Each structure stands twice: as C-alpha cells, then as structure tokens.
Amino acid sequence: MKKLLIVLGSLLVLILLAALILPIIFKDDIQKAVDKAMAENLNAKVYYDIDAFNLSVLRNFPNVTVSMKDFGVVNNAPFEGDTLVAVGNFELVVNLKSVLFEDQPRLSEVNLDRPNLHIKVLEDGRANYDIAVASEEEEAPADTTSSDFSIGIDHWEITDGNIIYEDLSLPMLMVLQNLDHSGSGDFTLDEFDMETFTSIERLTVNYDGVEYMSDKEVNADITMLMDLANMKFTFKDNTVAVNDFKMGFDGFFAMPGDDMEMDINYIAQDNTFKSLFSLIPGAYQQDFDGLKAEGTVNFNGFIKGIYNETSMPAFKMELGTQNAMFQYPDLPTAVSNIDVDLLIETGDDGNLDNTVVNLETFHAQMGNNPIDAKFLLRGLDKPYIEAMAKAKLDLDELNRIFPMDSLSMKGKFNIDLNAKGTYDSVKNTIPKINLAMAMQNGFVKSGEYPPLEKINFTSSVVNESGKLAQTVVRLNDFDMQLAGEPFSADMVLTNLDNYTWDLNVDGGIDLKQLTQIYPMEGMELAGRITAQISSKGKMSDVEAENYQALQTSGSMAIQNFSYVGEDFPQGFKIDNAKGNFDPQKITLSNFDGAAGRTDLRMNGYLANYIAYIFGDNQTLKGEMALKSGKMDLNEFMTEDTEDVPADTADAALEVIEVPKDIDFVFTSSIAEVVYDDLTLNNFKGNLIVKDGVLRMEKLGFNTLGGQFAMNGTYDTRDMQKPAFDFDLDINNLAISKAYQSFNTVQALAPIAEKMDGQFSTDFRIAGLLLPDMSPDMNSLDGKGLISIADAAVKDSKLVSAITKVSKLDNSSSINLKDVKVRAEIESGRVFVEPFDVNIGNFKTTLAGSNGIDGSIDYIAKMNIPAGAVGSAVNSAIAQLTGAKGAVSSNILLNLNIEGTYDDPKVSLAGAETGESTSQAAKAAVTAKVEKEKEELKKQLQQQKEEAEAKARAEAEKAKKEAEAKAKAEAEKLKQEVKEEVSETKEEIKKEAQKKLKKLFQPPT
C-alpha cells in the first residue's frame, strides 16, 4: 500500500510538473502556429500583446486555457487603417479530453472582455468583416457531402462590449453600447436548448436618416430549442424588454430550404400605459421618471406563413388602451380619457393588397382640448379610405402638457376632417374630402431662432365627387410676422388634374432671420425683400411652354441684401433695388450694389424670364445700362478667389464661359476696369452677350497713356477652343509700356523692349486662347498699319551686330521718324512690308519676318557713301561689284539679318554702286517677304496634309481592328452554336435510340 501511494504520488507530481512545464515548453511553438494560421487565413493585420500571450492547464484543469490581451484586427484596403475589432482580453478554454480522445473538439468557454466591434458595409456591398483569404482550391462538386467536423461550445460570454454596425447600402446605423451577453448550448448536437441573456445599456437605430430608437435600454432573456438538422428554431421561455416595455414570444422560425417558414405569436407582458412612453426618443422624455400615468396597454399579434420572393407571411397587430392618462410632474394639466383601438392585419394568404389598417377609436382629452379621430384603410393597390378627425387645440396648453426644450407655442388651432372613398391613380379618383382648418393668433418659437408670430389663416380642401379635377384648395387671409416683418397671402388651387392657381402675396422677409430658422450650409444670407405678387395660371400652360398665358405681375424691392457662399466667396450685395414685372418682362428701375470689389449701378429690363426659369433651352433676353466706378475682373477669373489682393498681377486667370442661353445688351460706362495687370480708364461702349459670344461694339478706354477704340468678339461656344477677334484703333501708346504689359508684343515684337517713343495702330488680330486666358501664339492671324512718329532703338544686340559687320560710324542706334509699317500675322509669324528707318545717319530699307520662337529673317538695304565704310568692307564691296579699285560713289549695302533676336547673325549679302532709289530697295525686300510667306503657307499646308493622313491612317487601323474583332467574335459564336447544335443532335439521337430500344424490347 505504501508503494502504491508512492507511485500515485509520484504520478501526481509528474502530472503537475507536466501541467506547469509543458505550456512553457510549447508556448512559443503554439504562438507561432497561431500567428501563421492567422497570416495565412486573414486578409488583415492582427495584433496582440506578445508578452501577455498565455497558455495554461492549471487555470481550468484539466482543460487548456489560451488567452491574449489587447487583441485586435485592422483592415487592409478598401478600409485601410480601420479597426474591425479590438478586445481587451480574449480567452479560449479548450476541453483537452475532446481534443485527445473524441472526434469533435469542444470549447468549454469563449470569453471576450471589453470588445469593440465596428462593422462597415459600403454602398457597393463590400464589407470590412470579409477578411477571410479566398481558397485557391477548386470548389467541391455540388453533390459532395459536407464535413462532419464541428466544434462544440459549452459557454460564451461578452463583457462590457460596444458594437457599431454601419451599412451604407441600406443605409442603416446601429449602435450598441455597454453590451453584456452570455449563452450556452451544445452545438455538437443536432437538437439542444440554447439559453442566452443579453443586456444593452444604450441602443440606437437609425434607418435612412430617421432615428427609430435613441439610447434605449434592452434586456433579453431567451431560450430556444435549436433543431440544427432541420434548421428550425423554437421559442420557449423568453422575454425581451426595451426600456420599460416588455414582450414575449412563442412559436418557431425555420429555414429548411430557400423558404423561410414562421409561426410566431407575440404579446406584451404586464405593460402599463407609462411603459409606452419609455419607447419615445430620449429628446422627448423630459422628466420621464416623475411622469404620472394610469391605464394598461394591450399589444399582441402574430406572423405566420412562408417568406420567399413570391410570398409574404400573414401578420396581425392589435394595440388598445382604455381610460388611460398621463401627466408630467409639476404641470397642472393632464391628458386623460385616452382610448385607442388599432388593428393592422393582412389576409391569411399574406397578400399585402389585402392589408387592413383600422383605427376604430382614438380619443384623448388634452386638458380642455378634445381630439377624436378614426381611420380605415383597405388594400394597398387601390386603397379604400375612411378618415375622420376633429380637434380644437389651445397650443399654449398643449405646450404645457408636452413640454419640449426650447419650443414655445401659442394660439388656437381647429381642424375638422371627413374623407371617404377610393384612391385610384389610373382613374384619377381620390376619396371625397371635406377639410377645414383655422389658426388664430398663432405663435411659434424654437431655441434661439426668431419667432413666427401673429399667425392667422383659414384653409379648406373640398372634393364632393372624388374626381381630381373637382378638388378645391383654399388658403384665406394668411398673415404672419417674422421678426416684425409682416407677410400675407391668399391662394386658391383647383383642378388637381391640371393644377390651376390664383395666388396673391404681399409682405416682407428678413433673410438673416429666415436663415436662422432654416440654416443654409455653405452660405451667408442677409437683407430685406418686400414684394407684392399676383399670379394666375395652369400647369398645362407651363408644360406646353405657353408662358405668356401665366398672368404674373407685381413689384419687388430689396434693401441691404448680401450673399457670401462657397461658389461666390467674393460676396454679392444689393444696397437698393426696385423692379416691376408682368408676364413679358421684369423692369429694373434701380439697382445699386456690388460684386466683390466691383460696384454696380444698373437699370433696364429682362424679358422671357418665366420661360427661362421654368423651361428648357430658353433664352433670357434684356437690355441694361451699367455704370461702375471700378470693376475688378481679376476677382472672378482666378482659380482661388478667396482673399484676392487688389494687385493680382500674378493671379492665374482661367477662361470664363459666356452663357449660351442669355441674349443681353449692356450699355457700359465704367470709370476703371482692372484686368490682369492692366487698368483701363473711362471704359465705355456696348457689351452684347448672345449665343455664347461676347461682342464689343464701339468700345473705348484709356490705358498705359494711350487711347483705345475697339470692336470685336470673345467666343466660348467651343470651350476647348475659345477664340477672340479684335479690331484695334490705338493712339499714342508708349512702346515700352506696351512691351511690358502685352505678351503678344513681347512674343511678336521683341525689339520693342529696347525702343523709346510712342506708336499708333489700326490693327485687326484674331486667334485662340489657352486655358489661362493668354493667346495661343501659334494661332494668331491679323494685319494692319503701325504708325511711329518718333522712336529709337538703342543698346540692342541687333544694332551692335549691324555695326560690327558694316564697320559704319554713327550706326549705334536705329531711328524711326514718321514711319508707317504694314504688318501681317500668319499662324503666329509676323511679316513686315518694306519700311524706311535711319541706322545711325544712313537711310535703310527693312523688311522680313520674325516668329514667336524669337527667330528673325530680315534684309536691310543701307544707302551709304562709299567713304563711310572701312577699307576692308570697301575691298569686299569691290569684289562683290566687280570693281578693280575702291568704290567712290554711293553704295546700296545689302545685309542679311538672321538667327534670333537674342543672338542675331548679320552678314554682308551684296552691294550696288551708284545712286540707288528707295523704290529699288523696297522692291527687293518685298520680294523676299512674299517668298517667305509662300514658304510658310506651303509648310502649313504640308503639316495639315500630314495630320489628315495620320488621322485617316489611325481611323483605317481602328476600322480594321474592329472588323477583325467582330469577325473573331462571329466565328466564336458560330463555333459555339455549331457545338451546341451538335450536342443537341447527339442528345436527340441518344434519346431516340433509347425509345426505339424500349419499343422493340420483348414483354417481360
């Protein structure tokens, strides 16, 4: 015996040592195995406290306990960085015996302490809980039997959990806070009882923007018989309570196949009338604990039948109260004699078209305010309706009965409604109706918003036949005040088949007060609008675009209006404006306002405004006289218009589209216009907006010391290729200022950088605009005359290059006096006809061209005395002319000027002796210019032909590819049809053989 005890003791010591040592020995291997399994099977980042990973046998001996702390799962794309689940402590207790000796392993316990779960579902159905790595193995055949492997769980528990379910595909938001849940059941069995208990401290449910539950307490104690073999779940003992409202269930829910079968009865258990109030959203539960209430609630019903794509279960709900009452604490008035009898049900077949909603009785005595109502609805397709409601309400007394934070009401409101009949959208019939409503001396104020006060009206809706066309809606003597501003209206609306209205409005609105009541996100609005409006019309005239038949007239005045919004951060204001309108036009007699830094004064008219507002493809027409002291266009032409400084020389301009649906004439008189880095003074003329084109007629202004007159167009009909076409008449403009201010001058006449003096011009120029509103230099075309009274070019590389080659004294500058230059621009290159200048003291004829790339190609014919040049040049001239000695007469020196303006190349091309005339020189240079123009035209034609050939080749290639693809698809389809026909023939053949074989078989 002693030896046996020693052996047993030793064995016990070994077991205890093994229980202590084995988890330590195999901890790292188990941990690595867990990490590997999660990495291979989860498309997410899993984290936990490695040091707190624990494996124990002693804690729940003989079971093995695996625990992890600070465990969490973080999503990958498309939920990158979102935490799906975070658990303070995660513990599994594994039944060691089931693992070692049984076919089905068991989890004795699963415990989650402080779990936070945030489930997200996107609009396209992608969910952040879908983190399992897809298997690369092929799917099992349809007839493969399922695995017998399963895991049993004896007990599970969640402590202090929080769950957020956010589903944008519905859309729905459900928030569970401070969740405690426990359950038990043997999932290794086909049939067993599952017992669960759930406690939620706060439950919020929002569906499609409507909050159906707000911070509700939920407790559920449910026992269900789980028949997993038949997927049938039977309610046994159970109770569910939402706040103080309790319900019980019995019956079953089953999913043996694709259909859902149910037979569930529910009934409220020992609920008082007060318990109903606990279901009201929290915002309306003021002083609920002190609420006095009497009476009971009957609430029961059933759901019975099959749910699938073609069938709905039948349902029934009954709700009733008798002689109930409630009263808020510290308030003298109660709501008493509350009687409700409500039935909602379908037929036994679950057909929703047979739905019946029957509010047989509703009565409540709200202090001295009785309310009675009845409502019956049969069917949903063509519902038959009976309705009755009568009430005489003192809103001040109701406000005391139903106290709501920051809401105050006063006044007398009466309603008397009777309706009976069928609504049929095909036959355009509605129930016969007789409705009368009235308000006397009403007052409504909410929070910090200004009050609506002195509200009075009478209103009626009458239809004695049930035909839409014979409905009459009246609003009589409506008047009210908003923050002291009176407003009144009358309206008669008849014939709901063809809405016919007669409306009169008279009053004022303070927009700032209005936006306090109805906040408008992203904008600030203020000002006072007063109006007298009368309107009569029919909807058929609106639909037929017969807007002249709409008898609309009246007047409107605006004072101290201001608007600032995300789309107009500069701000728009109207100090004063007055206008009258009739169906044809709006006449603006006065307008004094500003847009940003631009002040505006206008008068004129707008025509076709009704068609423009209500119709499609309609044009707003008008004429307006516009005056302004300063118009700053840079505010409206920059990408970022917020806080644009007065000096916007560096602002990035962008193309402004001219509306195509506006036909407008502005007669403008503007003292100062700021555009880009230019300031235009005394801006006068006509601006005509029509068909997406801005036309300028007789436009004049002063800028850079010169006077401008112009006619032209700014064309945005094709926003991909906005264009301009201007006729310019410019007088006495400083050449240096023109170079500094106009990029076209910089690109086309770079020599202007070194010129002093003034010029005048009569020039036409046209082309396309780039996205930043600068001209596309390659697209420019134009021609005209440039007149220079007195100017000089000094310190120019071009002058230095001429001097270096000619070796002439007194040639350090180019002087232009009473010069008229004819120039033509073709595709961005300037061609200059011959003109005379003085290079130094020598008369010179110049002609040629220069491009936007800085290239120059000119010839110069200088008329000089032979003795004026050096001996080396004189000798070169002698060789060119064939003379044997020095040339003694005047020389016409021919110079080629090429290269670029920054790096000119000047060469001696020839010389002529004797007295040469200016006409001869001009004839020579004219020939050169014409030759260059012809070459440019040929080059452009060649580029055009190459582009067209390339486009044809690409189109032909695309056509052949499409034909080849279509042919391949046709061949593929043909082969598929052929194979399908072949298979069908083979099946028919086999079936025929079977039948023939059976036919000729001898009888058994």
Side-chain angles (χ1 to χ4, degrees):
M1 185 66 180
K2 183 177 181 181
K3 291 181 179 181
L4 178 60
L5 291 175
I6 293 173
V7 171
L8 292 176
S10 301
L11 183 60
L12 179 60
V13 170
L14 287 174
I15 292 173
L16 291 174
L17 287 174
L20 290 171
I21 296 173
L22 288 177
I24 298 174
I25 295 174
F26 294 106
K27 175 183 175 181
D28 291 341
D29 293 335
I30 295 173
Q31 181 179 326
K32 290 178 182 178
V34 170
D35 291 342
K36 181 180 179 182
M38 289 190 294
E40 291 177 349
N41 293 280
L42 298 180
N43 180 25
K45 301 178 182 67
V46 180
Y47 67 87
Y48 59 91
D49 187 346
I50 296 175
D51 295 332
F53 182 86
N54 189 41
L55 183 68
S56 173
V57 176
L58 294 179
R59 187 185 304 177
N60 291 286
F61 186 82
N63 297 327
V64 178
T65 303
V66 181
S67 62
M68 289 183 282
K69 291 185 177 180
D70 297 327
F71 173 84
V73 178
V74 178
N75 285 107
N76 294 328
F79 303 92
E80 184 76 34
D82 290 348
T83 299
L84 171 61
V85 62
V87 183
N89 188 35
F90 180 25
E91 185 176 86
L92 297 176
V93 180
V94 182
N95 186 301
L96 188 59
K97 177 183 176 183
S98 68
V99 174
L100 296 176
F101 305 109
E102 297 178 3
D103 293 335
Q104 296 176 326
R106 301 179 66 85
L107 296 177
S108 295
E109 292 184 32
V110 177
N111 297 314
L112 298 176
D113 181 36
R114 291 169 288 118
N116 290 289
L117 177 64
H118 191 170
I119 297 174
K120 291 183 179 180
V121 181
L122 301 180
E123 290 184 3
D124 58 10
R126 289 180 294 171
N128 67 339
Y129 57 78
D130 186 11
I131 59 174
V133 174
S135 174
E136 297 180 358
E137 297 179 2
E138 295 183 359
E139 294 184 0
D143 59 349
T144 300
T145 57
S146 61
S147 172
D148 292 333
F149 178 79
S150 62
I151 297 178
I153 304 176
D154 295 329
H155 180 78
W156 60 90
E157 187 167 349
I158 297 173
T159 306
D160 195 16
N162 295 287
I163 298 175
I164 299 175
Y165 178 77
E166 185 179 3
D167 192 335
L168 299 180
S169 65
L170 295 176
M172 176 181 178
L173 174 66
M174 183 168 63
V175 180
L176 293 76
Q177 295 175 272
N178 299 337
L179 165 70
D180 289 330
H181 171 81
S182 62
S184 62
D186 191 346
F187 282 84
T188 62
L189 301 177
D190 287 340
E191 190 172 317
F192 62 95
D193 282 346
M194 182 181 72
E195 298 178 358
T196 63
F197 176 79
T198 303
S199 172
I200 304 171
E201 188 173 308
R202 292 192 299 277
L203 170 65
T204 298
V205 179
N206 186 302
Y207 180 79
D208 200 16
V210 179
E211 196 161 278
Y212 291 92
M213 287 193 175
S214 177
D215 290 338
K216 298 304 176 190
E217 181 181 353
V218 177
N219 289 283
D221 188 354
I222 297 175
T223 300
M224 295 180 67
L225 174 61
M226 310 288 287
D227 184 353
L228 297 181
N230 298 301
M231 290 298 289
K232 182 177 181 180
F233 313 103
T234 303
F235 290 100
K236 300 178 77 173
D237 297 330
N238 58 86
T239 301
V240 176
V242 179
N243 280 9
D244 291 341
F245 193 82
K246 298 178 181 179
M247 293 182 64
F249 302 86
D250 63 43
F252 71 87
F253 175 84
M255 295 185 294
D258 294 334
D259 294 343
M260 299 181 186
E261 298 178 10
M262 58 197 78
D263 186 352
I264 301 172
N265 298 291
Y266 57 88
I267 186 169
Q269 298 175 340
D270 303 325
N271 284 297
T272 64
F273 187 67
K274 184 178 180 180
S275 66
L276 275 179
F277 281 81
S278 70
L279 302 179
I280 298 173
Y284 304 101
Q285 286 196 35
Q286 181 179 351
D287 300 325
F288 174 76
D289 291 338
L291 180 72
K292 179 181 178 182
E294 297 176 359
T296 58
V297 176
N298 298 319
F299 181 74
N300 60 78
F302 65 78
I303 303 175
K304 182 177 182 179
I306 296 175
Y307 174 78
N308 54 33
E309 293 181 356
T310 61
S311 174
M312 286 284 293
F315 63 86
K316 179 180 180 179
M317 185 199 79
E318 291 182 291
L319 173 66
T321 66
Q322 289 183 343
N323 296 323
M325 64 81 63
F326 70 90
Q327 182 177 3
Y328 279 96
D330 303 324
L331 293 177
T333 308
V335 179
S336 58
N337 298 326
I338 302 172
D339 293 329
V340 178
D341 186 359
L342 173 66
L343 169 67
I344 302 175
E345 66 177 348
T346 63
D348 294 338
D349 58 358
N351 189 346
L352 291 179
D353 289 338
N354 297 327
T355 298
V356 174
V357 178
N358 187 8
L359 179 62
E360 179 65 28
T361 303
F362 179 88
H363 174 79
Q365 188 75 27
M366 299 184 178
N368 297 313
N369 302 276
I371 297 178
D372 288 281
K374 289 186 176 183
F375 180 77
L376 173 65
L377 179 146
R378 289 199 188 102
L380 298 180
D381 182 26
K382 297 177 182 179
Y384 173 79
I385 298 172
E386 291 184 14
M388 182 280 292
K390 284 187 178 182
K392 293 183 178 182
L393 305 177
D394 183 333
L395 299 183
D396 186 22
E397 189 173 6
L398 289 183
N399 210 158
R400 294 194 299 270
I401 295 172
F402 298 101
M404 286 181 278
D405 289 339
S406 70
L407 178 64
S408 177
M409 297 185 300
K410 296 179 182 177
K412 307 289 186 180
F413 177 74
N414 298 336
I415 183 170
D416 189 349
L417 166 67
N418 282 283
K420 185 176 182 179
T422 300
Y423 172 75
D424 190 331
S425 60
V426 177
K427 296 181 179 179
N428 285 338
T429 61
I430 60 174
K432 298 176 183 180
I433 186 171
N434 194 326
L435 168 65
M437 293 186 296
M439 170 74 84
Q440 293 180 340
N441 202 25
F443 175 94
V444 178
K445 188 176 189 308
S446 178
E448 300 298 323
Y449 300 149
L452 297 174
E453 53 189 339
K454 298 183 179 179
I455 306 170
N456 295 279
F457 69 85
T458 60
S459 178
S460 64
V461 180
V462 177
N463 186 305
E464 296 179 348
S465 66
K467 297 180 180 180
L468 280 174
Q470 296 179 6
T471 303
V472 179
V473 180
R474 295 182 183 274
L475 177 65
N476 301 321
D477 302 322
F478 178 88
D479 60 76
M480 62 167 235
Q481 289 188 8
L482 170 61
E485 291 284 349
F487 181 86
S488 62
D490 291 281
M491 183 191 72
V492 178
L493 179 65
T494 61
N495 190 0
L496 300 187
D497 267 343
N498 179 20
Y499 291 101
T500 303
W501 69 88
D502 186 347
L503 172 68
N504 295 284
V505 174
D506 186 358
I509 295 177
D510 187 317
L511 296 176
K512 186 173 183 179
Q513 301 282 5
L514 185 64
T515 55
Q516 289 181 3
I517 299 174
Y518 301 103
M520 300 181 183
E521 187 176 353
M523 68 173 66
E524 297 178 10
L525 200 61
R528 184 174 183 268
I529 298 177
T530 57
Q532 291 180 326
I533 302 172
S534 296
S535 178
K536 295 181 180 180
K538 298 180 179 179
M539 183 56 66
S540 58
D541 287 326
V542 176
E543 293 171 345
E545 300 184 358
N546 182 23
Y547 302 112
Q548 298 303 316
L550 305 179
Q551 302 176 41
T552 301
S553 61
S555 62
M556 182 178 294
I558 303 174
Q559 290 181 317
N560 300 321
F561 173 88
S562 65
Y563 167 82
V564 178
E566 294 176 352
D567 58 339
F568 206 92
Q570 306 94 333
F572 181 78
K573 69 176 184 177
I574 302 173
D575 296 327
N576 289 285
K578 293 181 180 179
N580 300 292
F581 52 91
D582 55 36
Q584 286 73 39
K585 65 181 180 179
I586 298 174
T587 301
L588 186 64
S589 58
N590 174 56
F591 180 98
D592 190 353
R597 292 188 293 272
T598 299
D599 62 284
L600 301 167
R601 294 179 299 283
M602 294 185 291
N603 61 75
Y605 73 88
L606 300 174
N608 200 41
Y609 70 97
I610 296 178
Y612 182 75
I613 293 173
F614 292 104
D616 296 325
N617 302 317
Q618 295 290 329
T619 299
L620 180 66
K621 301 179 180 180
E623 292 185 7
M624 203 69 64
L626 168 66
K627 293 184 178 181
S628 175
K630 180 178 181 179
M631 180 173 287
D632 189 345
L633 299 179
N634 289 338
E635 277 193 291
F636 311 101
M637 300 176 69
T638 56
E639 294 181 4
D640 185 3
T641 54
E642 187 174 359
D643 301 326
V644 177
D647 181 8
T648 53
D650 297 328
L653 304 181
E654 55 184 8
V655 175
I656 298 177
E657 183 175 8
V658 179
K660 295 182 177 66
D661 55 357
I662 290 181
D663 184 352
F664 226 81
V665 177
F666 282 104
T667 302
S668 306
S669 178
I670 306 170
E672 179 182 89
V673 177
V674 178
Y675 170 75
D676 200 6
D677 56 354
L678 290 177
T679 299
L680 315 180
N681 298 309
N682 301 319
F683 185 96
K684 294 182 179 180
N686 295 331
L687 300 175
I688 302 171
V689 179
K690 186 175 182 179
D691 299 330
V693 179
L694 171 63
R695 292 177 173 83
M696 288 151 274
E697 290 186 352
K698 300 178 182 179
L699 206 63
F701 55 86
N702 302 330
T703 189
L704 303 177
Q707 294 82 44
F708 286 69
M710 63 183 295
N711 294 284
T713 61
Y714 166 65
D715 189 345
T716 62
R717 285 174 294 183
D718 183 354
M719 280 296 288
Q720 302 302 315
K721 294 181 179 180
F724 67 93
D725 189 343
F726 295 150
D727 285 323
L728 301 171
D729 186 356
I730 305 173
N731 289 302
N732 302 321
L733 181 62
I735 297 173
S736 59
K737 290 183 178 179
Y739 179 85
Q740 294 169 5
S741 301
F742 300 117
N743 50 12
T744 50
V745 176
Q746 296 171 9
L748 300 177
I751 197 171
E753 181 182 15
K754 301 295 184 180
M755 291 183 72
D756 293 326
Q758 295 179 329
F759 77 96
S760 299
T761 185
D762 184 359
F763 210 94
R764 175 190 170 275
I765 187 169
L768 302 178
L769 291 169
L770 298 173
D772 64 353
M773 284 290 284
S774 63
D776 180 356
M777 299 300 177
N778 290 310
S779 72
L780 295 183
D781 289 300
K783 63 169 51 179
L785 179 67
I786 302 170
S787 301
I788 301 174
D790 191 0
V793 180
K794 297 180 179 180
D795 302 325
S796 168
K797 292 181 180 180
L798 178 59
V799 175
S800 300
I802 293 174
T803 302
K804 184 177 180 181
V805 171
S806 66
K807 304 298 183 182
L808 293 172
D809 296 330
N810 301 319
S811 62
S812 59
S813 66
I814 300 176
N815 300 299
L816 301 91
K817 189 172 182 64
D818 297 326
V819 172
K820 295 185 184 299
V821 180
R822 290 194 176 276
E824 184 174 354
I825 305 171
E826 289 190 10
S827 300
R829 192 165 188 88
V830 181
F831 296 91
V832 180
E833 295 184 7
F835 65 98
D836 293 334
V837 300
N838 286 332
I839 299 180
N841 295 327
F842 310 111
K843 186 176 181 180
T844 304
T845 300
L846 285 171
S849 68
N850 57 270
I852 60 174
D853 58 355
S855 64
I856 54 177
D857 189 359
Y858 281 82
I859 61 171
K861 287 186 175 290
M862 300 178 66
N863 195 343
I864 60 175
V869 297
S871 58
V873 175
N874 216 338
S875 175
I877 293 172
Q879 292 179 3
L880 289 170
T881 58
K884 295 181 179 179
V887 179
S888 59
S889 60
N890 280 2
I891 301 170
L892 195 63
L893 193 65
N894 299 330
L895 299 177
N896 281 341
I897 305 171
E898 298 174 330
T900 65
Y901 176 73
D902 290 330
D903 185 18
K905 309 295 183 184
V906 179
S907 61
L908 184 62
E912 302 172 29
T913 59
E915 294 294 333
S916 177
T917 64
S918 175
Q919 287 79 8
K922 289 182 178 179
V925 295
T926 298
K928 176 177 176 61
V929 171
E930 291 300 324
K931 182 180 179 182
E932 286 185 355
K933 289 167 68 174
E934 286 299 322
E935 290 176 350
L936 178 62
K937 288 180 180 179
K938 289 180 181 179
Q939 181 182 352
L940 293 174
Q941 183 63 28
Q942 182 180 354
Q943 291 175 354
K944 180 181 178 182
E945 291 174 355
E946 290 175 352
E948 290 176 350
K950 183 179 179 181
R952 286 195 299 270
E954 290 178 351
E956 186 64 26
K957 180 181 177 182
K959 179 182 177 182
K960 290 181 178 179
E961 289 177 350
E963 289 176 349
K965 183 178 180 181
K967 184 177 180 181
E969 291 290 339
E971 289 295 330
K972 182 180 178 182
L973 180 60
K974 181 178 178 182
Q975 184 62 30
E976 289 176 351
V977 171
K978 183 178 180 181
E979 292 175 356
E980 185 174 344
V981 170
S982 177
E983 290 175 359
T984 304
K985 286 182 177 179
E986 188 64 27
E987 290 176 0
I988 294 173
K989 181 179 178 182
K990 289 181 179 179
E991 187 64 25
Q993 288 175 345
K994 287 181 181 178
K995 291 184 177 181
L996 287 171
K997 184 177 180 181
K998 183 177 181 181
L999 178 64
F1000 291 104
Q1001 280 181 345
T1004 56

